[in-house]
Amino acid sequence: MPTPLRRARTAVSAIFFVHGAIFASWAARVPAVQDELTLSAGVLGLVLAGPGLGALAGSQAGGLLVRRLGSRTVSALAPVVLCLPLGLVPTAHSAWSLMAVLLLLGAADGCTSVAMNAQAVSVQQQYGRAVLNSMHAIRSIGAVAGGLAGVATASLSMPLTAQFVSMAVLLAVVSAVAACGLQPDVEHATRTPPSDQATAADGSAEPAGQGPKGRLTVPLLALMTFLAALVEDAPASWSGVYLRQVGADAAMAAAGYAAFSAGSVVTRLFNDWLVDRLGWVRLIRIGTLCCAAALTVALLLGQPGVTLAALVVAGAGISAVFPGAFTAAGALPDSARVMGHVGFAGNLGWLLVSPIIGGLSTLVGLPTALGLLAVAAAIIAGLAPVTCSVAPARAQERQVVP
């Protein structure tokens, strides 16, 4: 690959890392912020809805900005703006001022997510093969790094102001340096390879995203990302609670989300290779069916060891859905707007997953409520063909930057 294209991949990967590290840096110090502001559990729960609400608006704004300015410009600016509210967290002296900062953090987070995925899809189109999965893996690695940084600063009794400001400055510098390597967007090819074309009712071929079936592509992609967000985000809040219910000790319960995340991160490092051989449809379908089966077995057996293993499988199985959905969105006409909708649906799932699982668990019990995740994974398997317009391009059709 040409040097500018390799540099662009490294640059956008760095932005994915920053995106994961910023939110994890905040999340790791939530207990310390709660103690400093003396927030009750109920008030804290209300305040923690701020990032999710902000992200809903930010994802829509991100789609509009990318459509007007291009993904390179927005990907260069949005991560730097995202660092600002992280540095402002220590200035909050009440629940309401903290929520205002977190709303800004969520809005910048949602905007950055859309922009960096749009830039990543543009780089992927120029590569002519899948690279987006590895970038999502790097985002998860960034989240781990941000969380560990929070743990380290807490163990050193570093003041909150010093930690948040230093992390904000460091990550803003990384973002600014990465911006120098970003690439202009490429126009989508007007001709779709025959193997990637949808079939119309009369048997003729039509470009993906057009025709009667194509009109359903955007809402189906949005539904896919909403369901994927439920499956990906639920273990963060509920895996430990369920493991304690089935007899796990505190250490094993705490390992639940780590097991899910490990399965997701490791698999994403290999998914680009698998996409080039299986295609997005088969990879997503196989993965989500394995995810649904693993979760079902774990909930039926109710054994801590089985549940931990199932969480690893579930994380691996769901790992290709978000990269596949953004890749499909990037292949459609008016891709920036579509990516905004996809990002909005994912953030909506992130915001609603805890209330949905919590509400269901009060009615039917936690194991049955968590069965919703297995159902969601199975539905995603059925929706997998919506990504059929983005099978890997043939070598002679690859777009390469001079």
Side-chain angles (χ1 to χ4, degrees):
M1 292 294 168
T3 299
L5 189 54
R6 293 198 304 270
R7 187 184 300 119
R9 181 178 179 180
T10 302
V12 72
S13 296
I15 292 174
F16 271 81
F17 181 92
V18 169
H19 185 261
I22 287 177
F23 197 82
S25 298
W26 146 250
R29 299 306 302 272
V30 168
V33 174
Q34 180 185 14
D35 292 341
E36 187 162 305
L37 298 181
T38 61
L39 303 178
S40 66
V43 172
L44 179 64
L46 178 63
V47 167
L48 292 180
L53 293 172
L56 293 178
S59 58
Q60 292 294 288
L64 294 174
L65 289 173
V66 170
R67 187 181 188 187
R68 178 177 294 272
L69 303 176
S71 69
R72 179 172 67 170
T73 300
V74 184
S75 295
L77 297 176
V80 179
V81 175
L82 177 58
C83 295
L84 177 62
L86 180 66
L88 291 177
V89 168
T91 67
H93 298 295
S94 68
W96 298 115
S97 59
L98 178 60
M99 188 169 188
V101 172
L102 294 181
L103 282 168
L104 178 60
L105 180 70
D109 179 277
C111 182
T112 303
S113 177
V114 172
M116 72 186 189
N117 275 286
Q119 174 69 191
V121 168
S122 178
V123 170
Q124 181 172 255
Q125 290 168 345
Q126 296 174 74
Y127 259 75
R129 60 181 174 84
V131 297
L132 189 54
N133 289 285
S134 63
M135 296 179 187
H136 279 259
I138 290 172
R139 184 201 174 280
S140 298
I141 293 171
V144 173
L148 291 177
V151 172
T153 54
S155 64
L156 295 173
S157 299
M158 181 181 290
L160 289 174
T161 300
Q163 184 219 327
F164 285 128
V165 172
S166 60
M167 286 295 294
V169 171
L170 175 63
L171 294 174
V173 170
V174 173
S175 301
V177 173
C180 300
L182 300 176
Q183 288 283 319
D185 296 337
V186 294
E187 295 295 331
H188 306 310
T190 56
R191 182 172 60 88
T192 306
S195 60
D196 298 342
Q197 289 178 336
T199 302
D202 60 359
S204 60
E206 56 188 15
Q210 299 177 11
K213 293 183 180 180
R215 298 189 189 100
L216 295 175
T217 301
V218 176
L220 291 178
L221 282 175
L223 176 60
M224 175 183 286
T225 52
F226 174 80
L227 295 174
L230 295 183
V231 178
E232 285 203 20
D233 294 326
S237 302
W238 297 102
S239 60
V241 178
Y242 175 73
L243 281 165
R244 291 304 298 267
Q245 282 194 7
V246 297
D249 58 22
M252 182 176 284
Y257 185 58
F260 181 89
S261 299
S264 178
V265 172
V266 172
T267 307
R268 277 176 172 162
L269 294 174
F270 295 96
N271 275 350
D272 288 329
W273 181 85
L274 292 172
V275 167
D276 290 334
R277 283 147 185 82
L278 300 176
W280 285 106
V281 176
R282 278 190 287 178
L283 179 60
I284 291 174
R285 178 171 285 162
I286 292 170
T288 50
L289 287 176
C290 289
C291 174
L295 292 175
T296 300
V297 170
L299 293 171
L300 289 176
L301 296 182
Q303 299 294 324
V306 174
T307 300
L308 276 182
L311 287 169
V312 174
V313 175
I318 202 68
S319 62
V321 178
F322 269 102
F326 274 106
T327 299
L332 293 173
D334 199 4
S335 59
R337 179 184 61 84
V338 177
M339 286 190 184
H341 294 332
V342 168
F344 180 90
N347 287 317
L348 185 63
W350 171 37
L351 181 64
L352 295 181
V353 60
S354 289
I356 289 174
I357 298 298
L360 285 175
S361 65
T362 60
L363 298 175
V364 296
L366 184 58
T368 304
L370 292 175
L372 174 67
L373 306 181
V375 174
I379 294 174
I380 294 172
L383 294 173
V386 77
T387 62
C388 67
S389 63
V390 290
R394 293 177 175 81
Q396 66 268 28
E397 292 166 337
R398 293 176 181 175
Q399 302 176 48
V400 179
V401 173

